[in-house]
Amino acid sequence: MPDSIIKYIKELFPNQENIPLHEPRFTGSEKTYLNECIDSTFVSNIGPFVEKFEDSIKEYTGAKYAIALTNGTSALHLSLAALDIQPGDEVLTQPLTFVATANAIAYHKASPVFIDIDEDTLGMAPNNLFNFLNQVVEVRDDVPYNIETGNRIVACIPVHTFGHPCEIDDIVSICEEVNLPVIEDAAAAVGSFYKEQHTGTFGLAGIFSFNGNKIVTTGGGGAIITNDEAYYKKLSHLATTAKVPHASDTVHNDIGYNYKLSNLNAAVGCAQLEKIGGYLENKRELTSKYFEALADSNIQLIEEPVNTKSNYWLNALLFEDSESKEAFIKMAQAEGVMAKSVWTLMSELEMYKDCFSDDLSVAEDLSARIALIPSSVRI
Ligand SMILES: Cc1ncc(COP(=O)(O)O)c(C=O)c1O
């Protein structure tokens, strides 16, 4: 069976010696918009495409505010900075994620706390979160504390893994009970909806990545969306070196960051967002072909959770055991088909292995058995 899947993938992406996991497509006005930037000389983070890109993100997601940033990692970092996170604080997140989620917490000298994932969504499991908050968290003066470590908990960052929405409305309502802001790591979830509402719009904020391996790319780029005006103002100020507006003097009133996206990158993003509808259809069609090919197999393709519409950013195969997954990856790579294991769990990385964590048995089991397979938009 694995060899017939590999053969099938090669047929789906013909004339490619090496088939990557996810490569970008530039089929719209990218070059025209880039030329406009160059002709206008507006190539840094001031320029009409930055605002246009932010407007397009707002329109597409339904969020009130959007800030275009240098990448998804800086978006996560900034989202926590604007919550006044302090060294020693804790942030709840999940172990199955790209390292940026945990790193953004650690950049603030705070610690991630890992909550297990749900086997249907691969995102944070609401039940585990609920039990964790009930057993380990105490709210004092409206602030949640971890009673075992004594540390303040400042945010919860669930992830819409591979673009599949997690059970975000449950997660947000559970966190509301203890006054905990939710930042959705929707890095890979542009074009993914939970109950017809775009991911990233349920919690206090959502972050996106527009890296070259995402459905919509700006080369490198990211964004934060939010509906909270005060939070947005703080994010905007910190993202632009905390510069106080003034006609002639350059004054900064906080330790800010130089995190805004450039006009060049935003120009590419504007062209890309114009094409997202077709890209999403193309990817759903690819996934339905994978479902057909795997119909009689004991390899499971991860399906969009109920009540959601996933962008199917990366198709993930779940094998019966880690040995068959490893064998598949080896065979695929030998044939020029990129297949990869999922990220090593954050709780297993040297930097984060001693962090406080919940029982992580679902993440441990699934992460050993998942392989990612080529999922680009086909031309
Ligand atoms: C879940 C998750 N969070 C954060 C990021 C970071 O985004 P970026 O690579 O744009 O910094 C990624 C990137 O793939 C990601 O997958």
Side-chain angles (χ1 to χ4, degrees), residues 4-220:
S4 63
I5 300 168
I6 293 163
K7 188 162 164 267
Y8 189 71
I9 295 174
K10 289 175 98 164
E11 284 164 16
L12 288 171
F13 296 91
N15 311 319
Q16 272 186 277
E17 209 171 302
N18 288 299
I19 305 170
L21 273 192
H22 207 287
E23 58 184 340
R25 297 287 177 243
F26 301 107
T27 60
S29 304
E30 286 86 354
K31 286 183 184 165
T32 312
Y33 293 169
L34 281 171
N35 276 334
E36 279 179 39
C37 288
I38 291 165
D39 291 344
S40 73
T41 75
F42 281 95
V43 291
S44 297
N45 57 25
I46 293 174
F49 282 110
V50 179
E51 212 171 300
K52 190 170 172 228
F53 187 46
E54 290 173 341
D55 287 344
S56 306
I57 295 170
K58 286 189 274 182
E59 195 186 336
Y60 186 70
T61 61
K64 267 197 199 149
Y65 307 101
I67 307 180
L69 299 165
T70 49
N71 52 52
T73 309
S74 55
L76 283 164
H77 184 231
L78 188 71
S79 71
L80 292 171
L83 285 176
D84 291 326
I85 188 171
Q86 298 297 321
D89 285 341
E90 293 179 1
V91 176
L92 311 186
T93 188
Q94 58 188 69
L96 183 73
T97 184
F98 180 57
V99 71
T101 321
N103 283 351
I105 300 164
Y107 294 159
H108 289 288
K109 304 211 177 324
S111 299
V113 169
F114 301 114
I115 307 289
D116 207 0
I117 57 166
D118 179 276
E119 66 179 41
D120 293 327
T121 68
L122 307 181
M124 189 180 282
N127 276 347
N128 292 56
L129 175 66
F130 180 81
N131 291 337
F132 178 84
L133 293 179
N134 266 331
Q135 286 157 18
V136 184
V137 172
E138 181 182 271
V139 180
R140 285 182 245 141
D141 296 331
D142 287 342
V143 179
Y145 287 87
N146 180 331
I147 52 174
E148 295 199 13
T149 61
N151 297 327
R152 184 173 75 137
I153 306 177
V154 287
C156 174
I157 311 185
V159 182
H160 299 296
T161 312
F162 311 139
H164 298 314
C166 61
E167 285 187 61
I168 190 64
D169 58 353
D170 280 356
I171 292 172
V172 169
S173 53
I174 291 167
C175 285
E176 269 168 8
E177 292 294 311
V178 293
N179 239 346
L180 193 58
V182 173
I183 311 285
E184 295 171 59
D185 186 336
V190 174
S192 293
F193 295 80
Y194 181 89
K195 295 185 181 162
E196 297 183 14
Q197 185 178 329
H198 201 283
T199 50
T201 59
F202 291 81
L204 171 66
I207 74 96
F208 298 129
S209 163
F210 301 114
N211 191 32
N213 63 350
K214 300 300 186 300
I215 293 182
V216 167
T217 183
T218 57

Side-chain angles (χ1 to χ4, degrees), residues 85-368:
I85 188 171
Q86 298 297 321
D89 285 341
E90 293 179 1
V91 176
L92 311 186
T93 188
Q94 58 188 69
L96 183 73
T97 184
F98 180 57
V99 71
T101 321
N103 283 351
I105 300 164
Y107 294 159
H108 289 288
K109 304 211 177 324
S111 299
V113 169
F114 301 114
I115 307 289
D116 207 0
I117 57 166
D118 179 276
E119 66 179 41
D120 293 327
T121 68
L122 307 181
M124 189 180 282
N127 276 347
N128 292 56
L129 175 66
F130 180 81
N131 291 337
F132 178 84
L133 293 179
N134 266 331
Q135 286 157 18
V136 184
V137 172
E138 181 182 271
V139 180
R140 285 182 245 141
D141 296 331
D142 287 342
V143 179
Y145 287 87
N146 180 331
I147 52 174
E148 295 199 13
T149 61
N151 297 327
R152 184 173 75 137
I153 306 177
V154 287
C156 174
I157 311 185
V159 182
H160 299 296
T161 312
F162 311 139
H164 298 314
C166 61
E167 285 187 61
I168 190 64
D169 58 353
D170 280 356
I171 292 172
V172 169
S173 53
I174 291 167
C175 285
E176 269 168 8
E177 292 294 311
V178 293
N179 239 346
L180 193 58
V182 173
I183 311 285
E184 295 171 59
D185 186 336
V190 174
S192 293
F193 295 80
Y194 181 89
K195 295 185 181 162
E196 297 183 14
Q197 185 178 329
H198 201 283
T199 50
T201 59
F202 291 81
L204 171 66
I207 74 96
F208 298 129
S209 163
F210 301 114
N211 191 32
N213 63 350
K214 300 300 186 300
I215 293 182
V216 167
T217 183
T218 57
I224 303 180
I225 55 171
T226 181
N227 290 326
D228 185 308
E229 189 182 357
Y231 185 66
Y232 165 72
K233 284 187 175 156
K234 189 145 192 196
L235 290 167
S236 290
H237 187 57
L238 288 176
T240 49
T241 63
K243 187 170 176 295
V244 181
H246 193 280
S248 55
D249 297 349
T250 307
V251 179
H252 307 261
N253 63 2
D254 204 340
I255 302 172
Y257 306 91
N258 181 10
Y259 274 176
K260 282 286 286 201
L261 190 68
S262 82
N263 203 40
L264 283 171
N265 296 97
V268 176
C270 288
Q272 288 267 294
L273 262 185
E274 287 166 5
K275 291 280 175 179
I276 189 170
Y279 290 167
L280 288 170
E281 273 173 36
N282 190 304
K283 285 174 70 70
R284 288 188 80 79
E285 195 188 298
L286 171 68
T287 302
S288 64
K289 286 180 189 293
Y290 279 148
F291 272 117
E292 274 169 41
L294 290 160
D296 301 321
S297 140
N298 51 7
I299 305 166
Q300 190 192 326
L301 179 62
I302 304 286
E303 192 173 2
E304 64 191 347
V306 284
N307 291 324
T308 74
K309 188 154 189 190
S310 173
N311 64 7
Y312 280 107
W313 170 52
L314 280 185
N315 286 288
L317 300 181
L318 184 62
F319 287 79
E320 283 185 319
D321 49 53
S322 65
E323 291 75 24
S324 39
K325 175 207 74 174
E326 293 295 340
F328 169 79
I329 291 176
K330 215 167 156 193
M331 205 186 294
Q333 291 193 355
E335 289 286 328
V337 172
M338 180 47 102
K340 262 176 71 171
S341 292
V342 72
W343 311 288
T344 300
L345 295 182
M346 295 304 103
S347 47
E348 291 171 4
L349 295 180
E350 192 55 35
M351 314 81 85
Y352 301 121
K353 68 179 173 26
D354 297 326
C355 291
F356 198 85
S357 82
D358 189 21
D359 169 67
L360 303 177
S361 41
V362 176
E364 282 159 8
D365 170 40
L366 296 186
S367 66

